[in-house]
Amino acid sequence: MPRNQRRRSLRAAVSAGLLTVLASGLPVPAAAAEPLDRPVESSVISADGTMISVKEYGPAYDQAPTVVLVHGWPDNSDVWNKVIPLLADRYHVVNYDPRGSGASDHPDAVSDYELPKLSQDFEAVIDRTAPGVKVHVLAHDWGAIQTWESAARIPEKFSSFTFISGPSLDLLSGSLQREFGDITAWPALYYQALASSYVPFNYLPALPEAFWNSGLGAQLMQAYVGLEGGQHEAYSGRDGAAQTNLYRANMFQRLLHPTYDHVDVPVVQQIRPSIDPFVTPVYFNGLENAVPSLWRRTVGVGHWTPLTNPWAVAQYTSELIEFREHGAPAPAGAVVK
């Protein structure tokens, strides 16, 4: 057997073993995560000329299903580094930095961060890295928020969509209207309002940029991730400052003027961190009515799930991929609709 094939077989066995241990409920030591192979690095040019940095791992797109990773704010693509080795033995993994993060371009204008432009970035990435095939998407935080735009706009390019802690702003608009009409939901809405109390800060002129450029934002994020038990490479003040525009360009605009009320991706899966202090279950009430099929999985960690429980993230994502690609049975209790 050639060396590369032996290595891939061993890697598959290690990954399968890790996921089996996770499923059994036994603890998995952080040191068990495999080191990353060197990726194939490239870039694509989005519709408006923005350069998007891309890394690819594992088999070629025509040899295995493609999984596209989309990170959130204020992370960069390194947030997936513990998840990638658990997927790249079986899948073609595409990990890119959306505009305003990592090695991708950082446009200056608020309008450059509107959801349609972020969706064009996503489409440019998948058209280059997985032409002509449907992709599976795993997204976190603002990576999920922006991927909802693509799921609504180009659902024919998705096979599945797994998201963590990132609602669709458009679907959330309708959900909040219904929740406000139900007095029993008011305590949950009040709690979520407190959890989102940082959002108005991002609308202030200049102050968020000064906060990030001073280094305070990066230090605060590093400390918070550490409190959750995660480890993250040093945060970039430049990324944090640029991605503040995600809020300014989209949040209230879509909540007040939604553009869609359903998404036609065949199966959507929510991985819900049960102790996420920023994104609470009220954001997702009624989601099953807006998608053809919904799976929901719960993990007992905080917001940065890709860092604190990458094994669950990889397992749940793989189970949905195998369901879609090979007809594997749906896990017990996962299917909401």
PDB file of all heavy atoms in Angstrom, residues 189-210:
ATOM      1  N   LEU A 189     -37.443  36.513  25.856  1.00  0.00           N
ATOM      2  CA  LEU A 189     -37.047  37.640  25.013  1.00  0.00           C
ATOM      3  C   LEU A 189     -36.230  38.653  25.803  1.00  0.00           C
ATOM      4  O   LEU A 189     -35.248  39.221  25.290  1.00  0.00           O
ATOM      5  CB  LEU A 189     -38.291  38.310  24.422  1.00  0.00           C
ATOM      6  CG  LEU A 189     -39.052  37.500  23.373  1.00  0.00           C
ATOM      7  CD1 LEU A 189     -40.381  38.169  23.059  1.00  0.00           C
ATOM      8  CD2 LEU A 189     -38.218  37.352  22.103  1.00  0.00           C
ATOM      9  N   TYR A 190     -36.610  38.875  27.046  1.00  0.00           N
ATOM     10  CA  TYR A 190     -35.873  39.814  27.896  1.00  0.00           C
ATOM     11  C   TYR A 190     -34.456  39.302  28.132  1.00  0.00           C
ATOM     12  O   TYR A 190     -33.474  40.058  28.047  1.00  0.00           O
ATOM     13  CB  TYR A 190     -36.600  40.002  29.225  1.00  0.00           C
ATOM     14  CG  TYR A 190     -35.868  40.886  30.206  1.00  0.00           C
ATOM     15  CD1 TYR A 190     -35.792  42.263  29.997  1.00  0.00           C
ATOM     16  CD2 TYR A 190     -35.259  40.350  31.329  1.00  0.00           C
ATOM     17  CE1 TYR A 190     -35.108  43.082  30.893  1.00  0.00           C
ATOM     18  CE2 TYR A 190     -34.575  41.156  32.222  1.00  0.00           C
ATOM     19  CZ  TYR A 190     -34.509  42.520  32.004  1.00  0.00           C
ATOM     20  OH  TYR A 190     -33.843  43.320  32.885  1.00  0.00           O
ATOM     21  N   TYR A 191     -34.332  38.009  28.402  1.00  0.00           N
ATOM     22  CA  TYR A 191     -33.011  37.432  28.629  1.00  0.00           C
ATOM     23  C   TYR A 191     -32.144  37.556  27.377  1.00  0.00           C
ATOM     24  O   TYR A 191     -30.954  37.892  27.453  1.00  0.00           O
ATOM     25  CB  TYR A 191     -33.139  35.967  29.038  1.00  0.00           C
ATOM     26  CG  TYR A 191     -31.811  35.298  29.281  1.00  0.00           C
ATOM     27  CD1 TYR A 191     -31.113  35.502  30.470  1.00  0.00           C
ATOM     28  CD2 TYR A 191     -31.234  34.480  28.311  1.00  0.00           C
ATOM     29  CE1 TYR A 191     -29.879  34.905  30.684  1.00  0.00           C
ATOM     30  CE2 TYR A 191     -30.005  33.883  28.517  1.00  0.00           C
ATOM     31  CZ  TYR A 191     -29.341  34.101  29.703  1.00  0.00           C
ATOM     32  OH  TYR A 191     -28.115  33.519  29.908  1.00  0.00           O
ATOM     33  N   GLN A 192     -32.726  37.297  26.191  1.00  0.00           N
ATOM     34  CA  GLN A 192     -31.963  37.418  24.961  1.00  0.00           C
ATOM     35  C   GLN A 192     -31.559  38.880  24.709  1.00  0.00           C
ATOM     36  O   GLN A 192     -30.469  39.151  24.216  1.00  0.00           O
ATOM     37  CB  GLN A 192     -32.750  36.883  23.769  1.00  0.00           C
ATOM     38  CG  GLN A 192     -32.026  37.005  22.428  1.00  0.00           C
ATOM     39  CD  GLN A 192     -30.702  36.274  22.401  1.00  0.00           C
ATOM     40  OE1 GLN A 192     -30.642  35.061  22.511  1.00  0.00           O
ATOM     41  NE2 GLN A 192     -29.606  37.031  22.253  1.00  0.00           N
ATOM     42  N   ALA A 193     -32.432  39.817  25.057  1.00  0.00           N
ATOM     43  CA  ALA A 193     -32.084  41.229  24.907  1.00  0.00           C
ATOM     44  C   ALA A 193     -30.863  41.577  25.756  1.00  0.00           C
ATOM     45  O   ALA A 193     -29.966  42.310  25.310  1.00  0.00           O
ATOM     46  CB  ALA A 193     -33.272  42.107  25.285  1.00  0.00           C
ATOM     47  N   LEU A 194     -30.808  41.050  26.976  1.00  0.00           N
ATOM     48  CA  LEU A 194     -29.630  41.268  27.818  1.00  0.00           C
ATOM     49  C   LEU A 194     -28.399  40.633  27.192  1.00  0.00           C
ATOM     50  O   LEU A 194     -27.303  41.221  27.200  1.00  0.00           O
ATOM     51  CB  LEU A 194     -29.871  40.694  29.216  1.00  0.00           C
ATOM     52  CG  LEU A 194     -30.923  41.391  30.081  1.00  0.00           C
ATOM     53  CD1 LEU A 194     -31.079  40.648  31.405  1.00  0.00           C
ATOM     54  CD2 LEU A 194     -30.549  42.851  30.324  1.00  0.00           C
ATOM     55  N   ALA A 195     -28.576  39.420  26.645  1.00  0.00           N
ATOM     56  CA  ALA A 195     -27.455  38.708  26.026  1.00  0.00           C
ATOM     57  C   ALA A 195     -26.928  39.457  24.801  1.00  0.00           C
ATOM     58  O   ALA A 195     -25.757  39.308  24.439  1.00  0.00           O
ATOM     59  CB  ALA A 195     -27.878  37.294  25.645  1.00  0.00           C
ATOM     60  N   SER A 196     -27.787  40.246  24.164  1.00  0.00           N
ATOM     61  CA  SER A 196     -27.400  40.990  22.957  1.00  0.00           C
ATOM     62  C   SER A 196     -27.086  42.450  23.239  1.00  0.00           C
ATOM     63  O   SER A 196     -27.018  43.261  22.312  1.00  0.00           O
ATOM     64  CB  SER A 196     -28.541  40.911  21.926  1.00  0.00           C
ATOM     65  OG  SER A 196     -28.818  39.581  21.557  1.00  0.00           O
ATOM     66  N   SER A 197     -26.868  42.781  24.502  1.00  0.00           N
ATOM     67  CA  SER A 197     -26.696  44.182  24.871  1.00  0.00           C
ATOM     68  C   SER A 197     -25.426  44.796  24.294  1.00  0.00           C
ATOM     69  O   SER A 197     -25.281  46.019  24.264  1.00  0.00           O
ATOM     70  CB  SER A 197     -26.703  44.332  26.393  1.00  0.00           C
ATOM     71  OG  SER A 197     -25.669  43.553  26.982  1.00  0.00           O
ATOM     72  N   TYR A 198     -24.497  43.955  23.815  1.00  0.00           N
ATOM     73  CA  TYR A 198     -23.277  44.475  23.203  1.00  0.00           C
ATOM     74  C   TYR A 198     -23.506  44.983  21.783  1.00  0.00           C
ATOM     75  O   TYR A 198     -22.676  45.725  21.237  1.00  0.00           O
ATOM     76  CB  TYR A 198     -22.199  43.380  23.158  1.00  0.00           C
ATOM     77  CG  TYR A 198     -22.548  42.251  22.223  1.00  0.00           C
ATOM     78  CD1 TYR A 198     -22.079  42.248  20.915  1.00  0.00           C
ATOM     79  CD2 TYR A 198     -23.363  41.190  22.634  1.00  0.00           C
ATOM     80  CE1 TYR A 198     -22.418  41.228  20.033  1.00  0.00           C
ATOM     81  CE2 TYR A 198     -23.697  40.174  21.771  1.00  0.00           C
ATOM     82  CZ  TYR A 198     -23.227  40.194  20.476  1.00  0.00           C
ATOM     83  OH  TYR A 198     -23.568  39.184  19.616  1.00  0.00           O
ATOM     84  N   VAL A 199     -24.617  44.593  21.150  1.00  0.00           N
ATOM     85  CA  VAL A 199     -24.833  44.908  19.733  1.00  0.00           C
ATOM     86  C   VAL A 199     -24.855  46.408  19.467  1.00  0.00           C
ATOM     87  O   VAL A 199     -24.192  46.885  18.529  1.00  0.00           O
ATOM     88  CB  VAL A 199     -26.111  44.225  19.220  1.00  0.00           C
ATOM     89  CG1 VAL A 199     -26.460  44.723  17.811  1.00  0.00           C
ATOM     90  CG2 VAL A 199     -25.933  42.708  19.215  1.00  0.00           C
ATOM     91  N   PRO A 200     -25.582  47.230  20.234  1.00  0.00           N
ATOM     92  CA  PRO A 200     -25.590  48.671  19.925  1.00  0.00           C
ATOM     93  C   PRO A 200     -24.206  49.314  19.936  1.00  0.00           C
ATOM     94  O   PRO A 200     -23.973  50.289  19.209  1.00  0.00           O
ATOM     95  CB  PRO A 200     -26.489  49.252  21.023  1.00  0.00           C
ATOM     96  CG  PRO A 200     -27.389  48.123  21.405  1.00  0.00           C
ATOM     97  CD  PRO A 200     -26.537  46.899  21.314  1.00  0.00           C
ATOM     98  N   PHE A 201     -23.285  48.766  20.739  1.00  0.00           N
ATOM     99  CA  PHE A 201     -21.925  49.307  20.766  1.00  0.00           C
ATOM    100  C   PHE A 201     -21.307  49.290  19.365  1.00  0.00           C
ATOM    101  O   PHE A 201     -20.563  50.214  18.993  1.00  0.00           O
ATOM    102  CB  PHE A 201     -21.069  48.500  21.735  1.00  0.00           C
ATOM    103  CG  PHE A 201     -19.608  48.887  21.731  1.00  0.00           C
ATOM    104  CD1 PHE A 201     -19.186  50.046  22.370  1.00  0.00           C
ATOM    105  CD2 PHE A 201     -18.665  48.097  21.096  1.00  0.00           C
ATOM    106  CE1 PHE A 201     -17.839  50.406  22.372  1.00  0.00           C
ATOM    107  CE2 PHE A 201     -17.320  48.455  21.084  1.00  0.00           C
ATOM    108  CZ  PHE A 201     -16.905  49.614  21.733  1.00  0.00           C
ATOM    109  N   ASN A 202     -21.615  48.252  18.585  1.00  0.00           N
ATOM    110  CA  ASN A 202     -21.021  48.123  17.255  1.00  0.00           C
ATOM    111  C   ASN A 202     -21.573  49.132  16.253  1.00  0.00           C
ATOM    112  O   ASN A 202     -21.031  49.253  15.147  1.00  0.00           O
ATOM    113  CB  ASN A 202     -21.226  46.702  16.730  1.00  0.00           C
ATOM    114  CG  ASN A 202     -20.403  45.687  17.488  1.00  0.00           C
ATOM    115  OD1 ASN A 202     -19.209  45.867  17.691  1.00  0.00           O
ATOM    116  ND2 ASN A 202     -21.040  44.617  17.942  1.00  0.00           N
ATOM    117  N   TYR A 203     -22.634  49.823  16.626  1.00  0.00           N
ATOM    118  CA  TYR A 203     -23.196  50.848  15.748  1.00  0.00           C
ATOM    119  C   TYR A 203     -22.619  52.238  16.019  1.00  0.00           C
ATOM    120  O   TYR A 203     -22.881  53.173  15.263  1.00  0.00           O
ATOM    121  CB  TYR A 203     -24.717  50.890  15.898  1.00  0.00           C
ATOM    122  CG  TYR A 203     -25.424  49.849  15.060  1.00  0.00           C
ATOM    123  CD1 TYR A 203     -25.538  48.533  15.489  1.00  0.00           C
ATOM    124  CD2 TYR A 203     -25.977  50.178  13.823  1.00  0.00           C
ATOM    125  CE1 TYR A 203     -26.176  47.573  14.726  1.00  0.00           C
ATOM    126  CE2 TYR A 203     -26.617  49.229  13.049  1.00  0.00           C
ATOM    127  CZ  TYR A 203     -26.717  47.928  13.502  1.00  0.00           C
ATOM    128  OH  TYR A 203     -27.339  46.983  12.737  1.00  0.00           O
ATOM    129  N   LEU A 204     -21.857  52.379  17.082  1.00  0.00           N
ATOM    130  CA  LEU A 204     -21.284  53.681  17.403  1.00  0.00           C
ATOM    131  C   LEU A 204     -20.207  54.051  16.379  1.00  0.00           C
ATOM    132  O   LEU A 204     -19.470  53.183  15.900  1.00  0.00           O
ATOM    133  CB  LEU A 204     -20.674  53.662  18.807  1.00  0.00           C
ATOM    134  CG  LEU A 204     -21.651  53.412  19.963  1.00  0.00           C
ATOM    135  CD1 LEU A 204     -20.883  53.297  21.264  1.00  0.00           C
ATOM    136  CD2 LEU A 204     -22.699  54.522  20.032  1.00  0.00           C
ATOM    137  N   PRO A 205     -20.109  55.311  16.034  1.00  0.00           N
ATOM    138  CA  PRO A 205     -19.054  55.712  15.093  1.00  0.00           C
ATOM    139  C   PRO A 205     -17.681  55.700  15.759  1.00  0.00           C
ATOM    140  O   PRO A 205     -17.518  56.206  16.874  1.00  0.00           O
ATOM    141  CB  PRO A 205     -19.462  57.132  14.693  1.00  0.00           C
ATOM    142  CG  PRO A 205     -20.281  57.633  15.840  1.00  0.00           C
ATOM    143  CD  PRO A 205     -20.979  56.429  16.401  1.00  0.00           C
ATOM    144  N   ALA A 206     -16.707  55.078  15.100  1.00  0.00           N
ATOM    145  CA  ALA A 206     -15.279  55.132  15.455  1.00  0.00           C
ATOM    146  C   ALA A 206     -14.915  54.378  16.734  1.00  0.00           C
ATOM    147  O   ALA A 206     -13.822  53.791  16.820  1.00  0.00           O
ATOM    148  CB  ALA A 206     -14.799  56.582  15.573  1.00  0.00           C
ATOM    149  N   LEU A 207     -15.775  54.375  17.744  1.00  0.00           N
ATOM    150  CA  LEU A 207     -15.405  53.784  19.027  1.00  0.00           C
ATOM    151  C   LEU A 207     -15.096  52.286  18.923  1.00  0.00           C
ATOM    152  O   LEU A 207     -14.090  51.825  19.498  1.00  0.00           O
ATOM    153  CB  LEU A 207     -16.493  54.045  20.060  1.00  0.00           C
ATOM    154  CG  LEU A 207     -16.137  53.700  21.506  1.00  0.00           C
ATOM    155  CD1 LEU A 207     -14.886  54.432  21.950  1.00  0.00           C
ATOM    156  CD2 LEU A 207     -17.306  54.025  22.438  1.00  0.00           C
ATOM    157  N   PRO A 208     -15.916  51.483  18.227  1.00  0.00           N
ATOM    158  CA  PRO A 208     -15.560  50.058  18.103  1.00  0.00           C
ATOM    159  C   PRO A 208     -14.205  49.848  17.438  1.00  0.00           C
ATOM    160  O   PRO A 208     -13.423  48.990  17.862  1.00  0.00           O
ATOM    161  CB  PRO A 208     -16.700  49.486  17.267  1.00  0.00           C
ATOM    162  CG  PRO A 208     -17.846  50.408  17.496  1.00  0.00           C
ATOM    163  CD  PRO A 208     -17.232  51.763  17.632  1.00  0.00           C
ATOM    164  N   GLU A 209     -13.909  50.634  16.402  1.00  0.00           N
ATOM    165  CA  GLU A 209     -12.614  50.505  15.738  1.00  0.00           C
ATOM    166  C   GLU A 209     -11.475  50.848  16.697  1.00  0.00           C
ATOM    167  O   GLU A 209     -10.437  50.160  16.736  1.00  0.00           O
ATOM    168  CB  GLU A 209     -12.568  51.419  14.510  1.00  0.00           C
ATOM    169  CG  GLU A 209     -13.344  50.897  13.317  1.00  0.00           C
ATOM    170  CD  GLU A 209     -14.832  51.229  13.366  1.00  0.00           C
ATOM    171  OE1 GLU A 209     -15.300  51.749  14.402  1.00  0.00           O
ATOM    172  OE2 GLU A 209     -15.513  50.975  12.379  1.00  0.00           O
ATOM    173  N   ALA A 210     -11.658  51.912  17.491  1.00  0.00           N
ATOM    174  CA  ALA A 210     -10.634  52.293  18.463  1.00  0.00           C
ATOM    175  C   ALA A 210     -10.439  51.194  19.506  1.00  0.00           C
ATOM    176  O   ALA A 210      -9.304  50.898  19.917  1.00  0.00           O
ATOM    177  CB  ALA A 210     -11.021  53.608  19.139  1.00  0.00           C
TER     178      ALA A 210
END
